Amino acid sequence: MIESRSDYNYYVNCDKIALKIPEKRIFPRPYLDEIWKYEITLRKTEYHHNISGKIHRIFYAIYRLKLEKIGIKLGFSIPINVFGPGLSIAHRGTIVINPQCKIGKNCRIHEGVTVGATNGSNYAPIIGDNCFLGSGAKVIGEIIIGDNVAIGANSFVNKNFESNVTIAGVPAKIISKKTSERNIVKATEIYEERRNRK
């Protein structure tokens, strides 16, 4: 969770790496970096929401409206304080995330994904670090998905799964002991390596 300016910078830089934005590019381009703009706005909204003070409440309201506007354009319904650093949204298209979800660092998520609760429950999935959610995947209920898991396209996941596997199907089952390694960017590790070189 972003709780300071340094946290904000960390999240934004890790997201940029995860999206494979060239390091030398400082600002999003006007018409070609909509997803990057969305993720920056998401992090600014989180920052101002989580920091106390009147000025932060004002900026939170401004960025919240901006986030909603961009989200409607892109098809994203993503609440704040759900995703860890290193988020990579692959494409425009409907993505719906329940506010009670917790999703770890270095997540790559494709279009058509829903992560949510069921039957009016307040409990939603907890998804670990370095996870990949393929196009059309549905992850539903009070479940825990471990680290380094790849969830195949159009899968329906409604039970717990251990770390370091690939799951797919309706309902989902383990189809491989391969991890998500080939499908994600470990942006948090890359960021730390770059920072240590400086």
Side-chain angles (χ1 to χ4, degrees), residues 2-147:
I2 298 173
E3 297 180 315
S4 67
R5 188 72 186 182
S6 62
D7 288 347
Y8 167 77
N9 289 332
Y10 175 66
Y11 274 63
V12 168
N13 281 300
C14 289
D15 290 352
K16 180 181 175 182
I17 293 167
L19 290 168
K20 299 182 180 177
I21 306 295
E23 190 174 1
K24 64 183 180 181
R25 192 182 304 158
I26 306 300
F27 302 108
R29 294 168 293 184
Y31 302 106
L32 298 173
D33 290 322
E34 287 91 354
I35 292 174
W36 187 21
K37 286 181 199 172
Y38 178 85
E39 291 195 23
I40 291 171
T41 305
L42 174 67
R43 300 314 189 182
K44 286 181 177 178
T45 308
E46 291 173 344
Y47 171 69
H48 290 294
H49 177 269
N50 297 340
I51 306 296
S52 60
K54 186 175 181 180
I55 191 71
H56 289 292
R57 288 198 299 273
I58 293 168
F59 276 108
Y60 167 70
I62 292 167
Y63 281 111
R64 182 74 195 186
L65 289 172
K66 189 175 180 181
L67 185 69
E68 290 294 325
K69 182 178 179 182
I70 303 171
I72 289 168
K73 178 181 176 183
L74 297 176
F76 303 156
S77 180
I78 298 175
I80 62 172
N81 296 325
V82 167
F83 285 96
L87 170 62
S88 174
I89 301 173
H91 308 288
R92 291 171 174 244
T94 306
I95 296 173
V96 179
I97 308 293
N98 185 288
Q100 301 303 317
C101 294
K102 292 297 174 193
I103 301 173
K105 64 186 179 184
N106 304 325
C107 175
R108 182 162 173 83
I109 185 168
H110 282 248
E111 78 289 342
V113 170
T114 298
V115 184
T118 186
N119 295 329
S121 171
N122 289 326
Y123 297 100
I126 297 171
I127 299 175
D129 297 335
N130 309 318
C131 287
F132 170 82
L133 287 80
S135 300
K138 307 294 183 270
V139 185
I140 305 295
E142 187 182 355
I143 61 175
I144 298 173
I145 307 298
D147 298 336

